Amino acid sequence: MRAVWVVVLAVLVTGCGDEQPARPPIPRQLDAGAFAWRACDLLPGARAAGLGYPGPGMPDGIPSEKHWSCSWLPPVSPLLLIDLYLGQDRLGYEYRTGAGASIGSTGEPWLEPLTIGGQPAAALGHSHELPSATCSVVVGLTDTQSVRVHAGQRAGDGRACEHAIEVATVVVHSI
């Protein structure tokens, strides 16, 4: 009986080991509701061109009450997608599903915590410091709003995460 209590106590003290880290708290609530139906306005034309994405972005997909997208696509532009999530905590979702997971045999983390524009964020799928052809970052704006930026490399430079973080920073400052 004494051994059972020791095991129970050990589990209570250490936990089960399967707990996923929670999304970091959102220090500033940045309401992006004004950009509903206007996701392309998150990266205005002049700013987009200055970052290497010529022309205006194109509204992408079928918008819903909770998700709007804007894209810049090859061959006219390097790959860039901006997804605005209203009424859903996309950053929290990524933490719940990807934190602690790794990719295949490489062991790279699926989610790498970042801070972008003072807001909690995460690089998804690999470390933001490794060369990559594509990269997604998600930034928490409020407890129920997030923005995801998915960028491609430019001319084979392998710097997709740098480009995604650069665009996400401009997006956060636009709100």
Side-chain angles (χ1 to χ4, degrees):
M1 180 70 169
R2 186 176 205 161
V4 172
W5 283 111
V6 170
V7 171
V8 169
L9 182 60
V11 169
L12 290 174
V13 170
T14 62
C16 296
D18 292 335
E19 254 183 65
Q20 298 296 331
R23 168 189 51 80
I26 308 289
R28 291 180 305 146
Q29 301 289 308
L30 299 176
D31 184 2
F35 293 94
W37 301 102
R38 306 182 304 114
C40 292
D41 291 348
L42 288 166
L43 187 63
R47 289 297 307 220
L51 294 172
Y53 302 97
M58 298 293 295
D60 192 29
I62 300 171
S64 71
E65 292 179 18
K66 295 184 177 185
H67 178 223
W68 292 269
S69 296
C70 186
S71 62
W72 288 257
L73 300 173
V76 177
S77 170
L79 173 66
L80 177 65
L81 306 170
I82 298 174
D83 294 304
L84 177 62
Y85 298 93
L86 302 177
Q88 51 184 304
D89 180 11
R90 184 66 186 206
L91 183 60
Y93 169 81
E94 297 297 348
Y95 266 86
R96 286 189 306 278
T97 60
S102 60
I103 300 172
S105 63
T106 65
E108 277 187 66
W110 171 250
L111 182 145
E112 180 184 14
L114 301 171
T115 300
I116 296 177
Q119 299 297 107
L124 307 177
H126 48 78
S127 170
H128 77 283
E129 295 176 349
L130 296 175
S132 178
T134 63
C135 181
S136 289
V137 297
V138 177
V139 181
L141 303 174
T142 72
D143 291 332
T144 60
Q145 297 181 11
S146 301
V147 65
R148 180 178 70 113
V149 175
H150 181 80
Q153 64 183 347
R154 297 181 191 157
D157 68 2
R159 296 176 36 222
C161 279
E162 287 180 46
H163 304 310
I165 291 169
E166 183 178 45
V167 170
T169 301
V170 170
V171 167
V172 167
H173 292 294
S174 295
I175 298 172

